[in-house]
Amino acid sequence: MTEHTFIPKPYLNTIENGKVTWESPSNIALIKYWGKKKDQIPENPSISFTLNNCKTITSLSFQKKETTSDFSFEIFLDGEKKDDFKPKIQTFFERIEVYLPFLRDYHFKIETQNTFPHSSGIASSASGMSALALCLISIEKQLSSEISEVYFNQKASFLARLGSGSACRSIEGDLIVWGQTMHIEGSSDLFGVKYPYKVHDNFKAYQDTILLVDKGEKQVSSTVGHNLMHHHPYAKNRFLQADANFEILKPILESGNLNAFIQLIESEALTLHAMMMTSMPYFILMKPNTLEIINKIWKFRQETGLHIGFTLDAGANVHVLYPKNESFEVLEFIKNELVAYCQNGHYICDQIGFGAYQLTMDN
Ligand code: PMV
């Protein structure tokens, strides 16, 4: 399969206007993607839990227009016009135009909102870009009569990837692999696929409590961070390690070995941040409270034997991961000992989810 698969045949139907709404979740990587080639092709495979509660709800209204010389769109976040989002969407439209040739035919109104606070330090790019990609492919589905469910999901993921790499892992759940690896049958650099092997019940309804350590803007964007992997002294080994970690993760997911799971995901999180600290220029996204929390988690785990672990995104917030049946004790610990390290005491309770949903479609 190549990207040409996603260039559509001439459309058979015409539509004047309409509106479509999708909600799409965020995701949290267990094996991390950090470093990419041209056209958002990842340097190494990654796998994530799809989240359930942290999501973006996007409505896309479209109206046929007279001229097709330019893209025409406006964006609203929580009902407020957001012109500063326009360059990102313009770039996205330019990248995906060849795959969605109707883009210049319509004026679009994008209305979006997140279920998590905008300034929470939680990236909205995965949920936001996947929600928008889903709205767009829903329009294509009306224009063309030939779209199967499999193609729909693959193309949605493919388009989302061109907006933000990790967004391609938000279309479905509950465990999604992105990036070609011989360890996962059917894996692709072009789009995310469902993890195809057996997963132990220990991982059903796995919990992710996100501790909001720093709600500010990141000092270094993901785009800049990915680019710093190009001449990174440890890049080659890191990419090999991520690939090899799939071979370690597979028996863990099958057997439900939580201690081995924790060891792998914590190592992945710290390796991601180690890559940042050893790039040139180097940078640190963790904050003192990130480290305080990590040390508290380790101490609590040692004292109680509970299966609490952490992972980190490209930021200071800590994702606390634990099985559902240990929720009571872990939440008590979080409230009593970790909330003090969160900005304004804020945290978000989430758990593994099953992907995006279409809310409405009118025309
Ligand atoms: O999707 P991007 O380009 O914002 O990259 C995000 C990469 C990490 O979140 C740090 C890791 C991952 O695999 O999600």
Side-chain angles (χ1 to χ4, degrees), residues 81-340:
K81 205 155 193 241
K82 278 279 173 190
D83 284 342
D84 45 331
F85 287 3
K86 279 189 132 181
K88 198 158 185 191
I89 302 297
Q90 175 77 24
T91 309
F92 181 49
F93 277 17
E94 284 165 12
R95 279 191 197 154
I96 63 173
E97 187 186 7
V98 56
Y99 308 106
L100 296 176
F102 64 83
L103 282 182
R104 283 176 199 265
D105 298 342
Y106 294 94
H107 173 74
F108 295 101
K109 183 177 181 192
I110 306 165
E111 293 167 283
T112 193
Q113 67 194 80
N114 298 320
T115 57
F116 47 91
H118 181 53
S119 57
S120 59
I122 297 185
S124 56
S125 59
S127 52
M129 281 299 176
S130 53
L132 181 56
L134 283 156
C135 290
L136 290 168
I137 176 101
S138 291
I139 300 175
E140 174 159 89
K141 196 174 172 190
Q142 291 187 67
L143 293 168
S144 158
S145 311
E146 314 188 309
I147 294 186
S148 69
E149 196 183 327
V150 172
Y151 181 86
F152 184 96
N153 283 337
Q154 282 179 349
K155 186 160 177 180
S157 174
F158 172 86
L159 296 170
R161 188 196 99 236
L162 293 170
S164 162
S166 58
C168 77
R169 298 188 311 238
S170 280
I171 307 295
E172 295 178 274
D174 42 358
L175 270 165
I176 301 292
V177 176
W178 168 43
Q180 216 262 311
T181 167
M182 64 181 220
H183 302 301
I184 307 287
E185 235 179 291
S187 57
S188 170
D189 282 346
L190 299 178
F191 47 80
V193 299
K194 272 173 182 269
Y195 180 75
Y197 307 118
K198 200 173 155 250
V199 177
H200 193 277
D201 280 354
N202 279 354
F203 298 104
K204 298 272 144 70
Y206 220 72
Q207 304 289 300
D208 178 5
T209 300
I210 310 165
L211 305 180
L212 305 179
V213 170
D214 184 33
K215 304 188 198 172
E217 285 272 308
K218 284 188 275 186
Q219 300 108 317
V220 180
S221 72
S222 287
T223 311
V224 171
H226 284 293
N227 281 336
L228 290 172
M229 289 304 279
H230 282 138
H231 302 287
H232 193 292
Y234 306 133
K236 202 167 147 226
N237 276 340
R238 163 59 196 153
F239 302 146
L240 289 172
Q241 178 201 38
D243 192 76
N245 276 346
F246 272 85
E247 209 41 27
I248 300 176
L249 185 63
K250 267 165 53 178
I252 292 174
L253 290 178
E254 178 161 1
S255 66
N257 183 342
L258 293 177
N259 291 329
F261 177 74
I262 290 166
Q263 191 175 53
L264 186 70
I265 58 156
E266 291 190 348
S267 158
E268 271 291 319
L270 294 178
T271 303
L272 168 71
H273 284 256
M275 290 302 108
M276 299 171 187
M277 289 190 243
T278 48
S279 60
M280 192 56 80
Y282 42 82
F283 59 103
I284 302 180
L285 294 183
M286 288 187 280
K287 298 281 180 199
N289 281 351
T290 312
L291 294 179
E292 293 284 358
I293 290 169
I294 290 173
N295 280 304
K296 288 265 179 189
I297 288 174
W298 285 344
K299 187 160 172 278
F300 180 73
R301 185 163 78 219
Q302 199 167 28
E303 284 167 2
T304 61
L306 290 168
H307 299 98
I308 175 174
F310 72 86
T311 188
L312 305 166
D313 241 332
N317 296 335
V318 181
H319 288 248
V320 185
L321 299 181
Y322 49 96
K324 172 98 174 145
N325 64 357
E326 295 180 13
S327 293
F328 181 77
E329 294 92 328
V330 172
L331 273 173
E332 280 301 294
F333 163 65
I334 288 174
K335 282 185 223 151
N336 294 336
E337 297 207 39
L338 301 185
V339 164

